[in-house]
Amino acid sequence: MSYEQEAREQAERLRQAGHATILAIESSCDETAAAVIRDGREIISSVISTQIPLHAMYGGVVPEIASRKHVESVDLVVDEALKKANMTLCDVDAVAVTYGPGLVGALLIGVSAAKALAYAADKPLIPVNHIEGHVSANYLAHTDLVPPFVCLVASGGHSHIVRVEDYGVYTLLGQTMDDAAGEAFDKAARVLGLPYPGGPLLDKLSREGNPHALKLPHVQTPGRYDYSFSGLKTALINTVHKLRQKGEDVPAADIAASFQHAAVELLSDKAVLAATETGAQVMALAGGVASNSGLRNAMNDKCQKAGIRLVMPPPILCTDNAAMIGSAAFYRLMRGEVAGLDLNACPSARLV
């Protein structure tokens, strides 16, 4: 019997049993991560190796450096995740991996490692969309959460509002027309002279400033739930440049606070509007920007006023990690979705 046939039969047995322990790998950008997840809800172990210090001197992620570091780290994080779980590869039921979206070289390292492990151990291989992983982080943080619900996904490369109809089934309600929220935060931070990664540092700096010191545009979009951050970013850049050209001091804390306030209002207003108008009773946050303190506070306030339950992962599960991939993989497995050894990286993979 071929590997593919055996893997599919194993996957079917797991699906019928309704239980699975999954070894997951994440390598879509500048974090190499591995985790062992039980039944999509319980974190047995989670290991993350960050590359931030390597990329900081360049002001952003360098794809070639990221790929090389993933090669060095992937075996180490897998071994550490299994060790922390007190398991061997034989003890897990399946292997999952992020296949996209992300940096193609970085994705290929994780996909290649996962295929090798799955083949060597005769385990089913489960492909996971990175954005679906971010959504699924909420299942780990809130074990009672079940679809349907509306989710705001805000990260360095994506800004979506989706309705989660069922596990693995999504309807796109709105999305960014240009820059993603995290991308806009990072660019704004760079203009203010903050080092990489700028988003978290801008969040910290904003707490020292006046959020109403600078009036920034609230950009209109054709779609009711769509976003646009390019005008907001450009307005901040022009303000800073004009101050510097005049030789005036740049009130970095006030500008950071004003920018964050404008971006957070935009994100939260449309997300809660989408949840309200679609009749959702639960609103979820996901993605790296979901760890932003201003966004978390604004969403909490607005959801309370709208009578909507708000769920969000702790910050460690908002940024890239393999635990969220293992959670998403469980529900893919329960739908009978497994991959063959021809699985490839898909850097432009879409959630919907």
Side-chain angles (χ1 to χ4, degrees):
M1 184 182 295
S2 69
Y3 161 76
E4 279 81 2
Q5 289 174 314
E6 175 64 23
R8 291 189 181 281
E9 288 188 6
Q10 285 190 54
E12 179 57 24
R13 289 194 292 271
L14 292 168
R15 190 187 69 79
Q16 291 183 7
H19 297 284
T21 299
I22 297 174
L23 170 66
I25 297 172
E26 154 64 26
S27 67
S28 63
C29 190
D30 60 343
E31 256 81 36
T32 317
V36 178
I37 304 299
R38 181 177 290 133
D39 295 344
R41 298 281 176 161
E42 182 183 357
I43 301 174
I44 307 303
S45 68
S46 180
V47 178
I48 303 171
S49 176
T50 184
Q51 301 178 15
I52 286 175
L54 290 175
H55 300 287
M57 68 181 74
Y58 301 103
V61 177
V62 181
E64 178 64 19
I65 293 175
S67 298
R68 289 177 181 272
K69 190 60 180 176
H70 285 311
V71 172
E72 295 174 13
S73 303
V74 66
D75 288 342
L76 298 176
V77 297
V78 168
D79 287 346
E80 184 67 15
L82 289 171
K83 181 180 177 180
K84 285 188 173 184
N86 196 27
M87 292 180 178
T88 68
L89 186 58
C90 294
D91 296 322
V92 302
D93 297 311
V95 178
V97 65
T98 304
Y99 73 93
L103 302 173
V104 63
L107 290 166
L108 282 169
I109 306 305
V111 168
S112 298
K115 288 197 291 187
L117 291 168
Y119 180 73
D122 242 358
K123 306 289 183 181
L125 177 65
I126 309 168
V128 176
N129 182 292
H130 181 76
I131 304 305
E132 183 171 21
H134 277 304
V135 175
S136 301
N138 285 285
Y139 299 135
L140 297 169
H142 304 276
T143 55
D144 62 332
L145 176 65
V146 295
F149 57 90
V150 168
C151 186
L152 168 62
V153 184
S155 68
H158 303 85
S159 292
H160 297 344
I161 303 173
V162 296
R163 180 173 170 84
V164 183
E165 309 289 356
D166 198 353
Y167 298 109
V169 181
Y170 306 93
T171 298
L172 181 65
L173 301 179
Q175 63 184 325
T176 183
M177 310 297 292
D178 38 61
D179 290 357
E183 180 185 5
F185 271 97
D186 285 340
K187 288 178 178 177
R190 189 178 301 122
V191 171
L192 292 174
L194 300 176
Y196 171 84
L201 295 176
L202 187 142
D203 181 18
K204 183 178 179 181
L205 180 61
S206 71
R207 297 169 206 166
E208 304 172 14
N210 176 7
H212 305 290
L214 180 66
K215 186 170 178 60
L216 293 170
H218 190 98
V219 181
Q220 299 299 316
T221 55
R224 189 166 176 78
Y225 309 134
D226 289 334
Y227 292 116
S228 173
F229 294 100
S230 63
L232 182 61
K233 175 198 66 182
T234 301
L236 178 140
I237 292 172
N238 289 340
T239 297
V240 173
H241 285 176
K242 286 177 182 177
L243 288 171
R244 287 174 177 162
Q245 287 169 355
K246 293 177 181 178
E248 298 178 11
D249 290 336
V250 176
D254 285 345
I255 292 176
S258 298
F259 178 85
Q260 174 150 305
H261 176 74
V264 160
E265 286 298 297
L266 182 60
L267 281 167
S268 57
D269 280 349
K270 293 206 170 188
V272 175
L273 178 67
T276 301
E277 293 188 342
T278 58
Q281 309 218 339
V282 180
M283 178 89 220
L285 283 183
V289 180
S291 63
N292 180 278
S293 63
L295 179 59
R296 294 170 82 91
N297 290 336
M299 289 294 294
N300 186 57
D301 291 344
K302 291 175 184 179
C303 283
Q304 278 190 359
K305 291 177 181 176
I308 297 171
R309 178 191 176 195
L310 175 66
V311 298
M312 47 189 170
I316 191 62
L317 290 178
C318 291
T319 52
D320 291 352
N321 64 87
M324 66 184 193
I325 302 303
S327 177
F330 174 76
Y331 295 105
R332 287 290 171 186
L333 178 63
M334 291 300 105
R335 292 168 63 87
E337 298 178 19
V338 294
L341 295 177
D342 59 348
L343 176 66
N344 202 357
C346 183
S348 59
R350 295 177 63 88
L351 177 64
V352 181

